[in-house]
Amino acid sequence: GQNIDQPTEMTATEGAIVQINCTYQTSGFNGLFWYQQHAGEAPTFLSYNVLDGLEEKGRFSSFLSRSKGYSYLLLKELQMKDSASYLCAVRGGSYGNKLVFGAGTILRVKS
Amino acid sequence: DAGITQSPRHKVTETGTPVTLRCHQTENHRYMYWYRQDPGHGLRLIHYSYGVKDTDKGEVSDGYSVSRSKTEDFLLTLESATSSQTSVYFCAISAGQGTDTQYFGPGTRLTVL
C-alpha cells in the first residue's frame, strides 16, 4: 500500500519563507503532485515532480528525493492569500496510475 | 481553468434514499475520477473511469456505483445513502498522457440526515 505523511498545521508570517514537507512510502512511484486548496474550494494544481531535484514556479518551488521518499513545497514571500491547505499526492504503487493523497497541511499566514 | 462542473453543488437527503451526483466536462479528457474529502482523511478515491463504459473501483467504493455513458459525463450514485456518506465529493479529470495532471471540479457538499 501507500502511506503519505504531512504536518497537520503550520503558521508563518507574511513575507517569510515556509517549507511544507511530505514523506511517502510506496511500492511504486510515478510522480508527486502538490495542490493548493482554499477553504470551501476545489484543489488547484501547483507542481509536479517525477525526477529528483527542484522545480521552480515563481514564488513556489517543489523538491523531490525519490531515494528518501521525500518532497517539500517551498513558498517564498508569503502573502495572506497563501493561507490554505496544501495537499501532497503520489502516483503509483497499489493503486496503479492513480493518485493517493496525504491529509493535507493547513498553512496559516499571519501579518 | 479546466471545464468541469458538478451538480448539484449542495444536497441534503435522508438516510436510505438514493442520490446521484453528476460531473460534466468540456475538455474531452479520457479519465474521470470521483473522490470524497473528509476532515483528517484528505481526498480518497471512490471510483474512476478510463473511457466510456470503462470504470473501476478505488479505495472507498463500498456503497457507491458509477456510470459513464458519454465521454463528458460521469455519474456517482449512492444506492441507499447513509450518514457515513456525508462528505464533500469532488470530481476530477485527466488527459491520460504527459504528466496526466488531475484537475478538479468545484465539489458537491452532501449531507445525509
Side-chain angles (χ1 to χ4, degrees):
Chain A
Q2 297 185 124
N3 189 44
I4 301 171
D5 289 314
Q6 308 177 232
T8 304
E9 294 184 16
M10 300 181 70
T11 301
T13 304
E14 194 175 16
I17 299 173
V18 70
Q19 177 175 312
I20 302 174
N21 296 326
C22 172
T23 59
Y24 62 89
Q25 296 89 43
T26 177
S27 58
F29 179 82
N30 191 23
L32 186 143
F33 295 78
W34 285 96
Y35 285 82
Q36 180 189 59
Q37 185 177 25
H38 286 101
E41 297 183 7
T44 56
F45 170 70
L46 284 179
S47 68
Y48 169 73
N49 296 72
V50 68
L51 299 177
D52 291 351
L54 189 68
E55 294 283 341
E56 297 187 77
K57 269 189 187 182
R59 294 189 300 113
F60 293 8
S61 303
S62 58
F63 171 84
L64 175 67
S65 168
R66 289 172 297 171
S67 62
K68 295 181 179 179
Y70 169 68
S71 174
Y72 67 72
L73 181 69
L74 193 71
L75 291 74
K76 304 176 187 174
E77 301 168 16
L78 278 174
Q79 303 175 9
M80 299 300 289
K81 68 178 182 179
D82 297 329
S83 293
S85 183
Y86 292 86
L87 314 179
C88 172
V90 174
R91 183 166 62 206
S94 60
Y95 292 101
N97 213 35
K98 296 166 287 298
L99 293 182
V100 176
F101 284 81
T105 299
I106 297 172
L107 174 66
R108 295 188 173 86
V109 180
K110 59 181 183 178
S111 57
Chain B
D1 292 341
I4 314 168
T5 57
Q6 292 184 231
S7 58
R9 294 292 314 280
H10 301 272
K11 186 170 182 67
V12 179
T13 191
E14 293 190 350
T15 298
T17 60
V19 176
T20 296
L21 310 182
R22 180 184 184 233
C23 177
H24 178 77
Q25 59 143 332
T26 58
E27 305 297 321
N28 200 34
H29 280 0
R30 178 182 175 189
Y31 289 83
M32 298 186 76
Y33 311 81
W34 276 108
Y35 291 89
R36 61 178 290 172
Q37 187 173 39
D38 305 288
H41 288 279
L43 285 157
R44 292 181 290 175
L45 183 66
I46 304 171
H47 282 280
Y48 70 101
S49 168
Y50 46 97
V52 174
K53 292 187 171 34
D54 292 323
T55 65
D56 205 349
K57 297 178 179 180
E59 179 187 358
V60 290
S61 60
D62 287 349
Y64 302 94
S65 62
V66 290
S67 65
R68 191 169 178 198
S69 59
K70 298 185 290 185
T71 299
E72 57 266 35
D73 290 325
F74 192 32
L75 304 181
L76 176 71
T77 296
L78 290 66
E79 304 289 348
S80 178
T82 67
S83 58
S84 64
Q85 293 176 312
T86 292
S87 187
V88 179
Y89 291 86
F90 286 101
C91 172
I93 65 173
S94 70
Q97 55 190 351
T99 62
D100 200 23
T101 300
Q102 292 186 22
Y103 297 94
F104 286 81
T108 294
R109 183 172 294 277
L110 176 68
T111 302
V112 183
L113 301 176

